[in-house]
Amino acid sequence: MSSSLSYHALDTVESTQDTVRMLLHQNSVNTPFLAISAKQQSQGRGTSGRIWKGITGNVFLTVAFSMDRVPVSVTLLPLQVGILIATTLQQVLTKICHGSTATIRLKWPNDVLVNQKKVAGVLIESELVNDTTYLLVGIGINIQQAPQITSNEGRQAACLQEFCTEKLPEQTAEIVAADLANHLVEWMEADGRKDVIQEWKKWADFGTPQTLRDTGERVVPLSIQEDGQLRVRLENGQERLLVAEYL
C-alpha cells in the first residue's frame, strides 16, 4: 500500500462517499490520498441520483484527493478509473476463474460490463474543503452478488461470481477494493504516463448500439476523442459528441 494513501476498511456505512466527505471536513486526513471501503453500505448512490444497492460481498469504495493531483485532463479521469477496474477484474478471472471465457468491456465513460451485463460503476463527485477542491471517486463492483434491477433502474446487472465456475474466496471484494485504491494512487503518482485514450480503446466495444439513459435515444459509439468525449451516430445518421450524457 502506498505511503501516500490513508486506507480504512469498515464494516458498514451509509455511503462511502459521505463518510469520506465527512472526514475531509473534519480535517482528519494527514495523507494526500484517502480511501474508505465498506463491506456493506445502506444508502449508496450512482449517477443521476440512482440507488446503488449495497449487498454484502461486493466492493464499495471511495478514493479522495485534491483535483490538482490528477496528472491528465480531469475529463480523462473517469476513463482511467474504468481501465483500472477492468484490468483488476480481468486479473481475478484469469488467476482464479480458470477457463473462464467471459469478456470484459468498458461502456463509456466508466461502466464495466462482463458479457454485456453491468458489474461495476463509478460515481465521481467534487467537494470544496478549505479552498481546496477534492475529487471523490466512488466505485461499486458486484463481486459475490448482483442486485435485482428493474427496467427503470438501469442495465441488467451481474456479479463476477456468475462467470467463475470456482467459488471466489470470501475476501475477494476486500482485496479488490484495496488493490484498486492502491492502483489509482500509483497511477497518479507516476504522472499518468500511459496514454489513457489508447488504453481505453482496448476495452471499448465500438459499433454496438447503446441507449442513452436519460433520453432513451439509440446511438452507435464510433470513436473516442482526445479529451474523452464519445463520438456517436444517431438513428438519423447524424453524428454528435457526448459529454454529460451517460449510456
Side-chain angles (χ1 to χ4, degrees):
M1 192 72 70
S2 171
S3 60
S4 301
L5 172 64
S6 178
Y7 185 87
H8 305 273
L10 307 178
D11 286 330
T12 302
V13 298
E14 290 186 352
S15 160
T16 57
Q17 295 283 94
D18 293 342
T19 302
V20 164
R21 186 175 283 108
M22 177 188 69
L23 291 174
L24 290 174
H25 281 286
Q26 290 176 348
N27 296 315
S28 56
V29 182
N30 300 314
T31 56
F33 302 93
L34 167 67
I36 296 290
S37 70
K39 294 180 180 178
Q40 188 173 11
Q41 64 176 8
S42 59
Q43 295 182 29
R45 60 186 178 276
T47 55
S48 302
R50 291 178 173 84
I51 295 173
W52 188 275
K53 299 180 180 179
I55 304 175
T56 302
N58 295 337
V59 169
F60 310 106
L61 170 70
T62 295
V63 184
F65 43 86
S66 63
M67 184 180 290
D68 60 10
R69 290 190 174 275
V70 181
V72 296
S73 168
V74 72
T75 60
L76 298 181
L77 179 61
L79 305 183
Q80 178 61 30
V81 175
I83 292 168
L84 293 175
I85 296 172
T87 302
T88 300
L89 296 187
Q90 185 64 70
Q91 291 172 348
V92 174
L93 288 177
T94 301
K95 293 180 179 179
I96 301 177
C97 307
H98 307 292
S100 175
T101 59
T103 301
I104 296 179
R105 289 286 182 265
L106 285 176
K107 184 173 69 66
W108 184 88
N110 47 31
D111 279 352
V112 181
L113 311 180
V114 180
N115 288 0
Q116 294 301 312
K117 295 181 178 180
K118 182 174 177 177
V119 298
V122 177
L123 174 67
I124 300 180
E125 299 176 317
S126 62
E127 187 74 11
L128 184 64
V129 181
N130 297 330
D131 297 322
T132 297
T133 299
Y134 286 86
L135 295 178
L136 283 61
V137 178
I139 300 173
I141 308 175
N142 301 329
I143 299 290
Q144 301 283 5
Q145 302 183 67
Q148 295 297 315
I149 302 296
T150 67
S151 58
N152 294 329
E153 293 176 312
R155 176 186 288 267
Q156 184 179 5
C159 65
L160 204 62
Q161 180 62 73
E162 294 177 32
F163 307 100
C164 187
T165 55
E166 295 86 352
K167 176 66 175 175
L168 290 173
E170 186 176 333
Q171 305 300 316
T172 299
E174 296 170 46
I175 294 170
V176 167
D179 284 349
L180 277 173
N182 200 49
H183 292 334
L184 182 55
V185 171
E186 288 177 343
W187 171 74
M188 283 189 281
E189 291 185 325
D191 296 326
R193 295 190 182 99
K194 285 188 176 180
D195 189 320
V196 174
I197 294 297
Q198 293 304 314
E199 189 68 18
W200 192 87
K201 286 180 179 178
K202 297 177 183 178
W203 298 95
D205 197 11
F206 295 120
T208 300
Q210 304 281 359
T211 301
L212 295 183
R213 287 183 189 172
D214 296 328
T215 67
E217 290 179 87
R218 292 287 285 175
V219 300
V220 177
L222 300 176
S223 63
I224 191 82
Q225 306 299 109
E226 289 302 311
D227 61 358
Q229 295 183 81
L230 184 71
R231 181 174 295 278
V232 299
R233 184 173 63 245
L234 308 179
E235 291 181 291
N236 61 10
Q238 295 182 344
E239 296 182 7
R240 91 169 198 239
L241 292 174
L242 298 186
V243 182
E245 301 97 330
Y246 277 69
L247 296 175

